Every structure is written in structure tokens, then in C-alpha cells.
Amino acid sequence: MSMRRPDPCLSVWILGDQLLAHHPALVAAEQAVGRENVRVVLIESAARTRRLPYQRKKLVLLFSAMRHYALQLAVDGHQVQVIAAPSFLEGLRQHTQSCHPQGLLTMAASEYRGRHWQQDQLSQLLGIPVTVLPNTQFLVGQHDPFPSASLDRRVVMETFYRAMRRHFDVLMDARGQPAGGRWNFDDQNRRPLPRGHQPPPLPGFATSAMTRQVMAEVATLPSAQATGSVDGFDFAVTRTEALAALEDFLTHRLRSFGPYEDAMSAQHATLYHSVLSPYLNLGLLEPLELVRAAEQAYHAGRVPINSAEGFVRQVLGWREYITWQYWRLMPALAEANGWDAHRPLPAFFWGEPTEMACLRRVVDRAISTGYSHHIERLMLICNFCLLAGIEPTAVDDWFLSTYVDAYEWVMLPNVLGMGLNADGGQTATKPYVASAAYISRMSDYCQGCRYNPKQRTGADACPFNFLYWNFLLSHEDTLRQNPRLGQSVLGLRHLDDAERGRVRAEAERFLQQLSAEAAGDPA
């Protein structure tokens, strides 16, 4: 009697930030051998979790979303394992030893080290064929408008954004021109939040028993291994909930998003922002569905063009441009330090006191909630760190440790490139530096602060002021070569030798004190 050979089995490894409704590796495996012969594995890697002291709310979001995703796969008829292991490799070995697949399919990781490990080492380490499919979580993976751009050529975001708009036919009219007659409505999107204005609240989602279990696990992590608290966690952890969060944004906040997207507020953390990036970066939402939803809202007359275009620019422009720059500039980007900054991260970034009301509030909020919006990240935190000469990798590590939406592919080009201008101007054509005047104009943080935003030097001078002018003085020759900074640098002509001396002295005193108080590491 002949023995029936077992059907071929394929394994699919789905990474925790790839929780797609239609995962390409899963689709490909099912087409090859049928659903009944596919084994799915998700791995909670202790080594990856402990690379930095990550935000506890991010860890809860990640692990709860993974477990809910696995549960949904099982409901849909998939055979799936969730393995907690010391490392990804140990988890994969445990999985393959239990089911003996003839091969493994996975999707390329969104981060440099992980992708190269998948492609160059994983097959040999596991002893089975490994197929790494292209990552589908970014539109630039479907269309690269500048595939042969070398580092000798700078591609600015606006050029990139327009090329992506044309290719995907987003907010374009029948003549191939931008809707509303303009590509960019930035000049309509710079209003401070009016006094007494009350933005609508974000939706919160009830925690399931599974999420509460994850919260209990994450809460026990030592303080050296995690940032913040699990208390108050109410993020979406399933695609259904993430879609509800998207609909809430479209209904309640997109209309006013444009005018107030650059505003900052001590009272209101989210204002009219979508706060969809945590779900987008996990794969619970996909970029084109967000873009099309905003476009549809505009065409239906629900939102004005400046709000729809402003949101589309963040997703189709900024997000895609950032990941494009990441893969273009890595691995050198990780060590970029174009302004030769080496000062340690100030202690107040880990909760120590500071008299600067804006930074105190934003840092405290980021640690407690895992969120602050893009202007606070750029024009408060990165602006301060650039002016103060903080080591870029220390700033990047803080961002990665603090925010729920933080992943290397977005933080390295956004923090080192756009925020700190440490990449030689590849990502941003000028450093985003500003004095206290900008903060005072765009926020209410200066009200009641111990410092005077109008004073350049003296006991009550805002540090943003003397640090800003000290930065211009310290790098005057370099900055004069940048045509986009002409007026800022020309402003130095109003500072006589005595005032220049006072600026330098104030900055030196402040920075010495900052270095003396620096914690450098939360542990």
C-alpha cells in the first residue's frame, strides 16, 4: 500500500508593523499551496522590544494589535501562531521546527537592518528557502518618481509631491492641473488657535480583555526598558477601530485641519490633527485609502481645498518623501551630523524640571501620551536641539523611545534630516530654526512663562532667542550661502559688537548649565 505524501506546507512570517488587510506574503502562499497548507507566524521579540526604552503605550498598541490581528486570521480560517521569543530568529526557529515548512514567505521590513537580514541571512540561518516580497505599505514602492536620483542631486519635497500627485491622479482636474488652481495652500494653513477655541475630542476605544492583558505585561517592564505609562491607553487596535478613527477625523476634524495644522496649544494636544499615523505605520490603515478619503471629502463639498490638500501633502508628500529619502541615504544617514553637534540630551527630556513652558509641556505630554503633532516636534523639540547643538543620534533615540508612531524609517530622515538638518541638506534645503517670536505667534505657550519671548538677552530672555542668534553667529558663513536664509542672516546686521558679545555669553552660560544637568540616558 502506497503512503500518501503530505501536502506541501508554506510558512508566512508577518511582522508586527505589517498588519495589512491583504498581506502580500499571505496572498502569495495561499495561491501557491492553498489556505489549509499555510502556517502564519507573528513573533514578539524581546530583543527588538528592548533595543530602546520604548513608549509603553506604543508597546501595548503593537502587541495588542498583533494579537487581535492573529485572532482575526484564525477566525478567517488561517492556522496562526503568536510566539513570544528572545529574538526573531529564535521565534522563527521554534515555528519552523514545529511545522517543518518547505519554505518561508515574508514581506520586506520597513527598516534597513531588518530588511537586509531578511534578504541576506535568514534563509541560511533557518535552513529553508526564504522569499522576501516587496513592501506594499508605501506608495513610493509602487511608483518612484526619481529612481536614479544620486546624492549629487537634491530632490525637494515639493517636486517629489507634485510628481506623486500626477502619477496617482490625486486632487487633479480634468485638464491635468491641480484642484483649486494651486499645488500648495500653505499660506492659508498658518493660523494660531483662537483664544477659547475648543477642538473636538479624539475618539477613544474601549480596551478588550486581550488589550488589558498586554497592558498588564507592559506595565511590569523596568523603567530602564520603557518610557511612560500604560494608564489611559485607548488607541485603536484593530482595522475596524482604525477605520472608525479615520471616519471620525473626516467627519469632525478634517474641515478645520488646514487652517490650524501649524498651531500649537498648551490646552489641546491634538487640535484638528488626524492622529492616524500610529495605525498607518502598523498597516491597519493604508496610505492611498487615507488620500482618497480626503480627496472624496473635498469633491463632496465637505471640506475646503486647503484642508484636503494639506492632509494629502502630509501623506502622499511628506510620508512618502521621508521613506524615499530613508532608503536613498541609508546607512550613512544613521550617523549624519552635519552641524558637528555633540552636546548630550538635556535632563528635562526625561522629566527633569525646566523653566521653558513650551518644552516642559510638550515633553511631559509626549512622555505621558506618546503624541505631539508635527509642528511641536519640528519647531519646538528639533528647533531647540539644533540651536543647542544636541547630538543628533541622541535626539533620534529620544523620538524613537517616546512616540507611539515612531519607527526608524520615519524618525531618521525626519529628525536627523528635516528636523536637525544633519544630513547636509538632502532632506530639507534649510535648517528649520526660529526664535521665540515664532512660538509666541503660533501658540499660547509663552503666556505665563517665566521667560520673555521679546527679550534677546538678559535675565528674562527666552533661551530660544539667544540660542537662535548665537546659532546664526556661529554658522554665519555657512548660512549666508543658503539663499532661503537670506533675511534671517541679514538680520545679524542689526546686532552691534556689544550685542553679539552678550548673545554669545548668554548662550554659553545656558549651554554649559544644560550640559551639566544632562541626563543623556533615562536609565
Side-chain angles (χ1 to χ4, degrees):
M1 182 176 69
S2 62
M3 296 291 291
R4 182 180 181 273
R5 297 181 63 187
D7 291 330
C9 168
L10 284 176
S11 285
V12 172
W13 176 29
I14 297 179
L15 278 68
D17 60 350
Q18 299 180 350
L19 308 181
L20 297 164
H22 303 286
H23 195 285
L26 187 55
V27 172
E30 288 185 353
Q31 291 175 345
V33 298
R35 178 171 297 187
E36 66 277 10
N37 296 312
V38 173
R39 307 292 183 267
V40 182
V41 62
L42 292 89
I43 300 167
E44 299 175 3
S45 165
R48 183 64 184 88
T49 301
R50 293 170 186 166
R51 189 178 293 174
L52 287 170
Y54 295 111
Q55 167 67 243
R56 281 185 169 85
K57 288 183 174 64
K58 176 185 176 180
L59 295 177
V60 174
L61 173 61
L62 175 65
F63 293 140
S64 180
M66 288 173 67
R67 296 179 194 182
H68 280 88
Y69 184 81
L71 178 62
Q72 186 60 55
L73 288 178
V75 169
D76 293 340
H78 296 279
Q79 299 182 61
V80 56
Q81 284 183 303
V82 178
I83 299 175
S87 67
F88 287 127
L89 180 59
E90 289 302 312
L92 288 171
R93 281 176 171 162
Q94 181 179 329
H95 169 76
T96 56
Q97 288 167 7
S98 68
C99 63
H100 305 288
Q102 67 176 19
L104 175 76
L105 279 74
T106 189
M107 186 171 78
S110 60
E111 299 185 353
Y112 184 87
R113 282 172 290 182
R115 184 173 297 186
H116 281 274
W117 182 72
Q118 289 173 310
Q119 295 172 338
D120 301 337
Q121 301 178 41
L122 189 53
S123 179
Q124 183 178 0
L125 290 169
L126 292 178
I128 59 174
V130 173
T131 301
V132 182
L133 298 176
N135 189 296
T136 63
Q137 292 175 268
F138 303 92
L139 297 174
V140 75
Q142 303 172 35
H143 172 68
D144 184 346
F146 304 101
S148 59
S150 69
L151 296 183
D152 296 331
R153 178 188 177 190
R154 291 184 181 179
V155 178
V156 299
M157 195 189 91
E158 185 68 21
T159 302
F160 179 95
Y161 168 57
R162 293 183 186 188
M164 294 292 278
R165 284 264 300 269
R166 290 190 184 99
H167 177 80
F168 288 98
D169 192 25
V170 174
L171 290 177
M172 304 295 291
D173 64 22
R175 300 168 300 154
Q177 297 300 309
R182 295 164 54 185
W183 290 102
N184 191 313
F185 291 84
D186 254 359
D187 60 351
Q188 297 181 24
N189 293 355
R190 296 170 180 162
R191 293 171 55 184
L193 195 70
R195 188 185 297 272
H197 196 80
Q198 188 70 36
L202 283 182
F205 296 90
T207 54
S208 66
M210 184 178 288
T211 297
R212 291 193 294 275
Q213 174 61 37
V214 177
M215 291 171 69
E217 295 170 13
V218 172
T220 65
L221 291 173
S223 59
Q225 294 180 9
T227 296
S229 167
V230 303
D231 296 343
F233 180 89
D234 63 355
F235 284 97
V237 295
T238 67
R239 176 163 169 79
T240 298
E241 290 178 344
L243 287 170
L246 169 59
E247 184 57 37
D248 184 88
F249 169 64
L250 296 171
T251 302
H252 299 294
R253 299 191 304 287
L254 177 57
R255 182 171 188 83
S256 295
F257 167 76
Y260 303 118
E261 68 173 294
D262 284 5
M264 297 178 284
S265 170
Q267 285 74 39
H268 308 293
T270 56
L271 300 154
Y272 289 94
H273 290 268
S274 71
V275 197
L276 296 174
S277 55
Y279 316 132
L280 190 57
N281 293 354
L282 280 180
L284 295 176
L285 297 175
E286 298 196 48
L288 197 57
E289 71 180 331
L290 268 63
V291 167
R292 295 300 185 202
E295 181 184 42
Q296 183 179 5
Y298 164 69
H299 287 309
R302 295 169 58 191
V303 302
I305 184 63
N306 62 310
S307 287
E309 188 276 322
F311 181 70
V312 165
R313 184 164 10 98
Q314 285 200 344
V315 180
L316 186 60
W318 173 83
R319 184 176 187 269
E320 298 296 327
Y321 178 72
I322 284 294
T323 192
W324 182 80
Q325 288 285 25
Y326 173 77
W327 289 104
R328 178 174 178 241
L329 300 176
M330 283 295 283
L333 177 63
E335 303 299 327
N337 193 351
W339 296 98
D340 196 29
H342 297 286
R343 189 164 284 107
L345 195 71
F348 67 74
F349 275 83
W350 296 111
E352 294 299 318
T354 176
E355 293 185 300
M356 289 177 285
C358 57
L359 288 175
R360 181 176 66 246
R361 186 72 180 99
V362 170
V363 167
D364 288 350
R365 182 186 283 160
I367 290 174
S368 64
T369 71
Y371 178 81
S372 49
H373 68 71
H374 70 284
I375 291 298
E376 290 175 332
R377 299 188 200 197
L378 177 66
M379 300 308 298
L380 288 181
I381 294 173
C382 283
N383 180 26
F384 176 84
C385 290
L386 177 54
L387 295 177
I390 308 301
E391 169 72 46
T393 54
V395 182
D396 184 63
D397 283 351
W398 183 84
F399 271 85
L400 286 168
S401 300
T402 303
Y403 289 107
V404 293
D405 57 3
Y407 295 88
E408 183 185 89
W409 65 265
V410 61
M411 287 304 160
L412 273 178
N414 193 40
V415 175
L416 272 69
M418 186 166 288
L420 300 180
N421 197 235
D423 64 350
Q426 289 289 339
T427 305
T429 55
K430 70 179 182 70
Y432 282 94
V433 291
S435 68
Y438 175 87
I439 300 167
S440 179
R441 182 172 69 253
M442 294 304 300
S443 79
D444 57 1
Y445 284 118
C446 298
Q447 299 171 17
C449 180
R450 113 117 178 91
Y451 294 113
N452 185 343
K454 297 181 180 179
Q455 197 166 320
R456 183 185 294 142
T457 58
D460 296 327
C462 176
F464 273 101
N465 284 340
F466 53 73
L467 289 178
Y468 171 77
W469 290 104
N470 182 65
F471 182 84
L472 296 188
L473 288 169
S474 300
H475 303 286
E476 184 173 358
D477 291 343
T478 300
L479 296 173
R480 283 190 182 278
Q481 298 173 30
N482 190 319
R484 293 195 65 196
L485 286 169
Q487 291 303 313
S488 299
V489 184
L490 287 174
L492 288 171
R493 71 180 186 273
H494 300 300
L495 276 64
D496 59 24
D497 289 343
E499 182 68 359
R500 289 178 179 230
R502 285 190 290 271
V503 165
R504 290 186 184 278
E506 291 276 2
E508 181 62 22
R509 175 195 56 77
F510 178 84
L511 294 173
Q512 285 184 357
Q513 181 67 23
L514 205 66
S515 295
E517 297 173 353
D521 190 309

